Each structure stands twice: as C-alpha cells, then as structure tokens.
Amino acid sequence: MAKLRSYVSGRWHTPDAEGAPLHDAVTGEEITRISSAGIDMAAALDHGRRVGGPALRELTFHQRAALLKALASHLREHRDELYALSARTGATRTDSLVDVDGGIGVLFGYASKGKRELPNDTVHVDGAVEPLSRGGTFVGQHVCTPLRGVAVQINAFNFPVWGPLEKFAPAFLAGVPSLVKPASQTAYVTERLVELVIASGLLPEGSLQLVSGSAGDLLDHLTPQDLVGFTGSASTAQLLRTHPAVIRHGVRFNAEADSLNCSILGPDAVEGTPEFDLFVKQLVTEMTAKAGQKCTAIRRALVPSNLLDAVAEAASARLAKVVIGNPANETVRMGALAGLEQREEVRRSLKALLEVGEVVHGSPDRVDVVDADAERGAFLSPVLLKADPDHAQPHEVEAFGPVSTLMAYDGVGHAVELAARGSGSLVGSVVTHDADFAREVVLGLAPWHGRVLVLDRDDAKESTGHGSPLPALVHGGPGRAGGGEELGGIRGVLHHMQRTAVQGSPRVLGAVTGRWVAGAPRTESDVHPFRKSLRELKVGDSVVAGPRAVTLADVEHFAEFTGDTFYAHTDEEAAAANPFFGGRVAHGYLVVSFAAGLFVSPEPGPVLANYGLENLRFLTPTFPGDELTVTLTAKQITPREDQDYGEVRWDADVVNQKGESVAKYDVLTLVAKR
C-alpha cells in the first residue's frame, strides 16, 4: 500500500514505518497509509528559517503578490485532480468547490490586496509619523518587518485545500515560510496540493513544507520568531497553547476552534416573507454543506416563539428533499462524513443533545443513501432537533456534522443572551428586514462573534452566506472560538510581522522607511521633478513654485464658474460674521487649483496622469491679497512590477506670505519608468 509523503528540508520523504490506514469516506476502502516517522522536525524548521525565510525577504510585497497570483492560476488548471480526491473525503462537487476554489480564491485575493494595499518594498509603514519634539527634529514611525521564523500550521480535516491556503497566503505575502501539518483523515488531498505547488517551481525553496502524520516533537523546536496557527477543537487548542515551548518563547499562537454558531430569525420574518424563506434555506444549507463539517455551520437556530413550529415544519420539508449518498451520483446533495470515527463522534454528541431535545427531522441511527453502503461509508442523516433554550447542552455540545437545534426566544434581549451562551463564536447571522432590530442584535452579538451576517431580501442575491469566510474579512472569534483571527485582509499579513516603533530624525526615518518625512532634506535641481522618469526620480526630489497672488476677482470668477457661491466666498457681510473667517475667503479648491498651476510642468513627459489627492486639509483661510507658494516633494515611489510605469506620492505644502500652511495634501501620479 502506498504511503503519504512529506516534503521537508528540500526533498520528498517517504516513511519507513507501516503507518496508520486512511479510508475512503464513501466506500470504506483503504486509500493509503500515513506516518511522519523518520522526519527530523528540528531540521525542517531550520530549513524554513535558513533557506525559505531569507529568499522570501529578498522579495518585495508586490513580487510575493505576483507569485501568489501565478500559483493560483497554476492550481486552477489542476482543480479536477483535487475534486476527484476530495470526493473520497465524502465531499460533493459543491463541497469541493467551496474547498478547492475557495482556497485558490484566497490566493487571488491576497495577490490583489498585496499589490493594491502594500508597498513595492520589503518594509511596511504602519500609521502616520508621530511628532515627538517641538522643533520637529525628533520623530517616530511604526514599521512592520517579517518575523524570522516559520509559520507552523496545524489544520483540521474538513478543508484540506482551503485550510492550508488561507493560512499560507498571508504568511507568504508577509515574507514568512510555512510548514503545513494537515489532519490525517484527509491529508492525501493536502499532499497532492503541496505536490502541485512544489512542482510548479514558482516558489522559493523552503517557503512551503509538509509534514504528513503526527506532529511528533515539532513544537519542541519552536523559537521566539516562529508562529503557530491551529484549526480544530477547543480542547486541542488549549493543549497546544500551553505547550512549554509556546509559553517559554512567547510564540504567537492563533487558534480557530469549534464554535456553536447561531442564526437568529427576526420577529418581522413571518411565513410568506422573503426573510422566512431565506432563514430556512440558509439553515438547511449550513446543515448539509460538507455534511455539516464546517466550523462556521449553524448549530443553534434561534426563532421567535410564535414561529418555532412553522420553521420546524418548513426546514423538515426542505431537508426531506436532500439526497444523501455517493458524491459521484449527480442527484446526491450531501455526501459522507470524513470517516467512521467522525460519525461515531457526532453520534456521541447527538446523544448528549437528545437528553434535552427532541428530533424534528432525521435519525441518528438510520439513513437512506444512493449508490453507497450506509454502514461501510460514513453516512449520517441530517438531524434537526428542537430544545428548550434554558438547557445547557445546546449551548455547550457541538455535534460536528449535519446537526442543528431549533430554540425559541422571547424578545431581542433574550435572543442576544442566548447567542452569548455559546461563549464565543466564529459567526452569527441575523435574518430580518427590520434595520432597527438588526442594529440591536448586531451590537449585542459583536462582543461574542468574529463575524456577523445580516441577511435580507436586499442582499440575498449577492450574499456569500452564513458559512463562508472571505479573505477580506476576519475569520476567528473570542472565547470558545479560539480567541484568534485569520484572514481579515492585510490584518492577516501583519500577524506574521513585528511592529516596531522607530525613533530618530526625519532624515534617518526616511532612510529606514524609504519615504520622505517632513523635516528631512529636500533635493532641488534645475530639472523639474515632473521631467524625471521613475528610474531617475529620487525620494526627496522637490520643486518650489510661486508666489501667486489671490485676488477678489479670482474668488468671484471661481464662484461663478463652478457654481460654488457659498456665502463665505460671495457675501462680505455674512462672511465677516463667521467666527472662522471674519471676511470673504478663497475657495479651498481654488487654492488647490492655483497650487497645481504653480507646480505642474505642462509639456509631455514621464508623468502620465494625476489620479488622486489624499489627506487634504485646509489649515489657514486664504484671503484676497494673500500670496501662495507651493512646495512639492517626491514622498514615495512605487514601481509596478507588471507595468512600464509606477506610482509616485508627492507631498504638497501650500503656504501664504507669512509662511503659514494654507493646505497640505498628497498628490498621486502615474510616472513612466523610462
């Protein structure tokens, strides 16, 4: 029997040990065997730190983003292989789309965010420059740099593709190598995923490693620069979090644990409303997708007391139409659980829930299946329960399968209280068209949830649903849910980086960050900065232009030409009564327009376009008779990897004849590289 391989220290490793058998969830057939025997865990971590880390840190954020995009495209070409393997885990084609395409989508998502939201540099500047002295010669700036360790990810069995990729993408973009330890039940899917990644040749060696089988003494070799990301049960998370090496070295530990997620039906969503139907449809979908083996599935369905029976009847009718069996059959809508052991674990949890609840639909022991053996395969009927919400079990016991419990609430306060009894969840949803009810519930749920979905007729068509984590949004939750965060856009990248406060002079701070800092030297020359290509332009290159006098005729013409006849510009008496002005003033946008006229170089050249202004502030009123001078300084230069141009951020400071700043802002331009 073939054995699963690991990829560590730059080579594929096949274990000598016999290993534990892994079975097809649908047929019960043995697929392969798994063991991590013979792997030198310390050497694997050292390889990541010594080989993978330096190679990644040589690349800019944009270069790493480009590699993520290329990898996503490569994996998309091999989806069918991953679908076929995924079917052996009991997943239907739709389930596999969520896992495989969802994972690839995370790669694309982080590639896009890296290019749009991070600099084409190896250092990320976090926040504004902090003035630390009266004279401006001593300032501070927070910078983020990649940790010099390895991101160790210990994943759950339910998403063998999405799970590794959603952790890998932000770590890679941050410049930190990953070591993946998948759950054994479905590790054969993750092994093939890693084979495809390594075979692509796209990634620097050492940036991704795989340990198939037990983690062994892996955590013993952690250092203060390493990270651990865990997805699984709360009890296992607690054991890992308290590992001596994790505690001793202060290792960053992120847990995404089991979660008794809830969905709340609003009192307005009575039978016949779109929201009633959406609630029932969402509940059944979350019960049956991945056979309920989702950390985001709805475990507690909270409905108004007067709607409990109606929801139970409608959900039962919908569940009765779900065809269960071999995912290869096109009529099947729900496959098997990941294995027979998993089925028995769900049945044990169901037994505890049945002590206080009654079955509304389904059976813990009997299920009708299509094109499969109900006993050899890990099949289980969807089971919908109904219970008194005062009992503890529905708020404490999670049956990690196609199981959910209906409970009645009386009033919004009661609904929020019941939701909080889950002791922290990954996601909650509110199905209502009443915005006031939604606000009250969302604000009540927020302290206990990492994500809250409000579903109604307005967003239903485009909503990704209760159970779908998205790359741009936080995935995680407080308390029982693990107390951690994954994804969340750039937040997930920064988790893998160290934020450091750097103090110094503006000149030194500019050298560290690669950006011009107010107070640092400027470079003026006979060549206008707009005449310089991106390759010639340097941070600090500057031009001073002006002065230009502002006349009352200018103000009146601008008011007439634009239609902005606000009284402060056109009515002397009213403007004089304004405590901020004391007389007629020039339009702020007239000041900005005059400034552009002063600093622009009008002839064709490397500057291709002005595409925005940011951080615009009008600081001092401009009165007729004032004279304006503008200083424009190249503040940040960002080449685009895949284009023949880049972006330049310019610092614009407009002052009057007294040297007072009238307006400050950033000008954004596109500039040709040559």
Side-chain angles (χ1 to χ4, degrees), residues 119 123-125 127 506 509-517 539 635-636 649:
V123 178
H124 173 65
V125 175
L509 211 61
V512 171
T513 63
R515 301 184 180 191
W516 182 82
V517 176
V539 168
K635 186 175 185 178
Q636 182 183 6
R649 179 181 292 267

Side-chain angles (χ1 to χ4, degrees), residues 209-252:
Q209 298 183 84
L210 169 72
V211 171
S212 299
S214 168
D217 64 350
L218 176 63
L219 299 190
D220 293 342
H221 306 290
L222 294 174
T223 71
Q225 290 287 302
D226 296 317
L227 309 93
V228 175
F230 170 76
T231 300
S233 70
S235 58
T236 303
Q238 183 177 356
L239 287 174
L240 297 178
R241 197 192 302 271
T242 56
H243 187 283
V246 172
I247 295 174
R248 182 169 63 252
H249 296 304
V251 174
R252 290 191 191 181

Side-chain angles (χ1 to χ4, degrees), residues 549-623:
V550 180
T551 67
L552 185 59
D554 291 329
V555 177
E556 292 178 340
H557 173 70
F558 194 83
E560 181 182 358
F561 182 70
T562 62
D564 181 357
T565 56
F566 184 63
Y567 74 87
H569 313 304
T570 57
D571 187 327
E572 184 65 45
E573 183 178 350
N578 186 310
F580 291 105
F581 302 134
R584 292 172 72 178
V585 295
H587 305 70
Y589 298 112
L590 173 59
V591 171
V592 172
S593 299
F594 277 1
L598 289 171
F599 67 63
V600 75
S601 176
E603 300 84 3
V607 175
L608 305 174
N610 176 337
Y611 73 98
L613 299 180
E614 288 185 353
N615 308 315
L616 173 61
R617 293 292 183 273
F618 298 116
L619 305 171
T620 303
T622 297
F623 297 95

Side-chain angles (χ1 to χ4, degrees), residues 283-489:
L283 173 61
V284 171
T285 296
E286 292 300 317
M287 287 180 66
T288 56
K290 295 286 290 185
Q293 300 169 116
K294 293 170 59 181
C295 54
T296 54
I298 297 170
R299 305 300 178 195
R300 299 175 298 153
L302 309 178
V303 303
S305 301
N306 63 317
L307 295 176
L308 185 65
D309 291 339
V311 170
E313 182 179 341
S316 296
R318 198 173 186 95
L319 285 167
K321 298 177 182 178
V322 175
V323 178
I324 305 163
N326 189 335
N329 188 302
E330 292 184 357
T331 66
V332 167
R333 292 296 174 265
M334 189 181 99
L337 276 68
L340 296 177
E341 291 183 6
Q342 178 62 22
R343 182 173 67 181
E344 291 312 305
E345 176 62 31
V346 174
R347 284 174 171 169
R348 283 191 290 271
S349 297
L350 262 171
K351 185 177 180 181
L353 291 171
L354 284 169
E355 291 176 2
V356 298
E358 60 180 280
V359 174
V360 173
H361 175 86
S363 167
D365 304 310
R366 189 183 67 81
V367 58
D368 295 324
V369 300
V370 173
D371 285 349
D373 186 313
E375 291 307 311
R376 287 180 59 83
F379 295 100
L380 184 71
S381 165
V383 179
L384 182 62
L385 306 172
K386 181 167 63 175
D388 187 322
D390 290 335
H391 290 295
Q393 286 92 324
H395 308 290
E396 296 177 358
V397 177
E398 181 181 24
F400 200 73
V403 180
S404 190
T405 302
L406 285 170
M407 290 178 281
Y409 73 84
D410 296 303
V412 62
H414 190 212
V416 169
E417 176 192 344
L418 292 177
R421 288 186 65 184
S423 299
S425 300
L426 297 171
V427 57
S429 59
V430 190
V431 187
T432 179
H433 202 239
D434 182 338
D436 293 332
F437 177 82
R439 172 185 164 83
E440 197 168 351
V441 173
V442 167
L443 296 182
L445 262 57
W448 295 97
H449 291 75
R451 177 169 59 91
V452 178
L453 164 70
V454 180
L455 185 63
D456 64 11
R457 68 193 72 178
D458 298 332
D459 65 3
K461 187 175 181 180
E462 294 187 310
S463 170
T464 50
H466 172 102
S468 299
L470 297 171
L473 300 180
V474 164
H475 178 54
R480 175 172 178 154
E485 285 187 0
E486 294 176 339
L487 299 176

Side-chain angles (χ1 to χ4, degrees), residues 99-237:
D99 185 28
V100 177
D101 290 63
I104 294 171
V106 171
L107 296 181
F108 276 123
Y110 270 94
S112 176
K113 281 196 162 288
K115 183 177 178 181
R116 288 186 290 109
E117 299 181 31
L118 292 172
N120 196 5
D121 199 346
T122 57
V123 178
H124 173 65
V125 175
D126 180 34
V129 174
E130 298 287 347
L132 303 176
S133 66
R134 183 174 297 177
T137 62
F138 185 54
V139 293
Q141 174 78 70
H142 290 92
V143 300
C144 297
T145 53
L147 292 171
R148 300 300 179 96
V150 175
V152 175
Q153 41 168 292
I154 302 172
N155 290 318
F157 67 84
N158 50 339
F159 287 99
V161 175
W162 181 85
L165 293 181
E166 63 95 10
K167 289 183 174 69
F168 168 77
F172 184 88
L173 189 54
V176 177
S178 293
L179 187 150
V180 178
K181 210 300 288 181
S184 291
Q185 297 101 308
T186 56
Y188 51 90
V189 183
T190 307
E191 183 212 38
R192 182 55 186 151
L193 170 69
V194 173
E195 282 180 338
L196 291 169
V197 172
I198 300 302
S200 74
L202 291 167
L203 306 188
E205 172 52 43
S207 54
L208 178 63
Q209 298 183 84
L210 169 72
V211 171
S212 299
S214 168
D217 64 350
L218 176 63
L219 299 190
D220 293 342
H221 306 290
L222 294 174
T223 71
Q225 290 287 302
D226 296 317
L227 309 93
V228 175
F230 170 76
T231 300
S233 70
S235 58
T236 303

